[in-house]
Amino acid sequence: MKKALITGITGQDGAYLAKFLLEKGYKIYGIYRRLSTPNFWRLQYLDIFEKINLIPADLIDSASLIEAIKISEPEEVYHLAAQSFVGASFEQAIGTGEITGLGVTRVLEAIRQINPKIRFYQASTSELYGNGKTQGSFNEKDLFQPASPYAAAKLYGYWITRIYREGYGIFACNGILFNHESPLRGLEFVTRKISNSVAKISLGIEKELRLGNLEAKRDWGYAPEYVESMWLMLQQKEPDDYVIATNETHNVKEFCEKAFNIVGLDYKKYIKIDKRFLRPFDVNYLKGDYSNAEEKLGWEPKTKFNRLVEVMVKEDLNRWKRWQNGERFPWDAPNYPGESKILTRALRV
Ligand code: NAP
Ligand code: GDD
């Protein structure tokens, strides 16, 4: 049985990837950090909490990462953990550098020291391109021009991955993934903020939706499809870097229009511009050319913009209807699912 270690298993992509790899027959280990309120709701939502093994570790703590790799003895490490919110990176630029940037080296160094044959996936991002284009699509050869502390940290992560690949022969790949969304997306990201608010407004729970830059364009895909590309990258003969995208772009306003249309409302009546959600520096245009991934990995996106908005709005509507009927979400009343899968140090010695 193949073993994989996922950092960021409690996040959107980590949860979907764990499910995908379990279905492929992998034994799954994930690192999680101690929080004052347990955050396993995505793993519960996908009904996989009982099927995975959790190791306490943090990206700022090298020793805990070394331990996680020693315990799990993985063939593949998927490094997804990061301070992943661009907006927050302007408020916590140094912390973002520590976690999102240096965290990559801590994981790679643990691999190099313990078993350099482990294959490594780095969660790189379309944010690397910054404002390099106003039309056309970005591919693997385009110039990186990061426009946030988050993107600068990810640029470091991208290069350190290549340096460990070329310098130490580690099978290390960068997935340059464009935005990908789902009903498991964090609530502060714009797509889920919109779908969640549309559901609440249509049910009379909320009255307005406050947003920042409505003109920003993004290439939005569907997260469960994107995690497959991560696995495909690590199954190739040679390590490489790949753009994963839909090659379509839409602005935030179009997302709002479509989402409000689904519940029969006119978005213009509910949106308020709020300066708090404007960034000091924003990326205005992103569209990705995934033809290299299509040719080499046989990967292509299936869920495009209209369907994605529909899936997200319908799921949030369903959740809020259940809430109105008295059901509570795991994140409202944390339903700690038990500790049976947690491998603490005491258990390991
Ligand atoms: P996410 O939902 O924000 O998940 C981030 C994960 O990182 C969570 O599990 C979080 O743990 C963990 N984490 C944060 N700080 C940590 C630390 N100090 N030590 C250990 N774990 C830590 O992000 P996502 O959307 O799944 O994205 C996954 C990765 O892909 C990220 O690296 C992101 O930057 C990158 N990416 C995402 C997209 C996208 O559109 N989603 C596109 C390109 C690249 P907690 O649950 O404890 O907070
Ligand atoms: N979050 C947020 N909240 N964004 C808003 C809002 C708002 O109220 N109003 C407008 N926006 C605009 C942002 O300014 C940005 O231009 C766009 O919506 C998308 O913002 P996010 O959903 O926060 O995502 P992101 O593109 O900044 O970053 C995501 O995608 C990257 C890949 O390109 C994250 O998942 C990153 O981790 C990922 O690397």
Side-chain angles (χ1 to χ4, degrees), residues 34-85:
R34 187 262 162 193
L35 299 171
S36 64
T37 306
N39 180 24
F40 298 124
W41 71 269
R42 293 184 175 93
L43 301 169
Q44 291 176 279
Y45 186 92
L46 296 180
D47 205 17
I48 56 172
F49 182 79
E50 292 303 330
K51 301 184 182 115
I52 58 173
N53 302 281
L54 289 169
I55 305 172
D58 196 300
L59 289 180
I60 59 167
D61 184 335
S62 282
S64 70
L65 297 169
I66 289 172
E67 187 97 346
I69 289 177
K70 282 189 177 162
I71 294 306
S72 54
E73 297 183 326
E75 277 91 9
E76 295 166 8
V77 169
Y78 294 87
H79 179 47
L80 310 182
Q83 191 301 93
S84 74
F85 188 44

Side-chain angles (χ1 to χ4, degrees), residues 12 83-87 123-128 150 154 177-181 185 187-193 209-220 252 274 277-279 282-284 286:
Q12 171 189 260
Q83 191 301 93
S84 74
F85 188 44
V86 175
S124 283
T125 165
S126 47
E127 281 292 302
L128 295 175
Y150 166 81
K154 282 284 184 184
L177 271 54
F178 282 62
N179 299 51
H180 44 281
E181 318 293 317
R185 188 61 145 148
L187 280 166
E188 74 270 60
F189 297 94
V190 79
T191 55
R192 182 80 201 294
K193 182 171 170 181
L209 168 56
R210 304 185 83 86
L211 293 171
N213 177 9
L214 300 186
E215 303 305 324
K217 288 189 154 185
R218 288 291 182 278
D219 179 332
W220 280 300
V252 174
D274 187 328
F277 302 113
L278 294 173
R279 294 173 184 173
D282 206 355
V283 171
N284 297 315
L286 288 175

Side-chain angles (χ1 to χ4, degrees), residues 185-204:
R185 188 61 145 148
L187 280 166
E188 74 270 60
F189 297 94
V190 79
T191 55
R192 182 80 201 294
K193 182 171 170 181
I194 297 168
S195 65
N196 189 51
S197 217
V198 163
K200 289 169 87 176
I201 290 171
S202 81
L203 296 172

Side-chain angles (χ1 to χ4, degrees), residues 290-305:
Y290 64 89
S291 53
N292 182 46
E294 188 174 27
E295 189 194 324
K296 310 250 175 61
L297 307 177
W299 182 91
E300 60 174 355
K302 295 182 185 70
T303 306
K304 298 290 183 70
F305 181 72

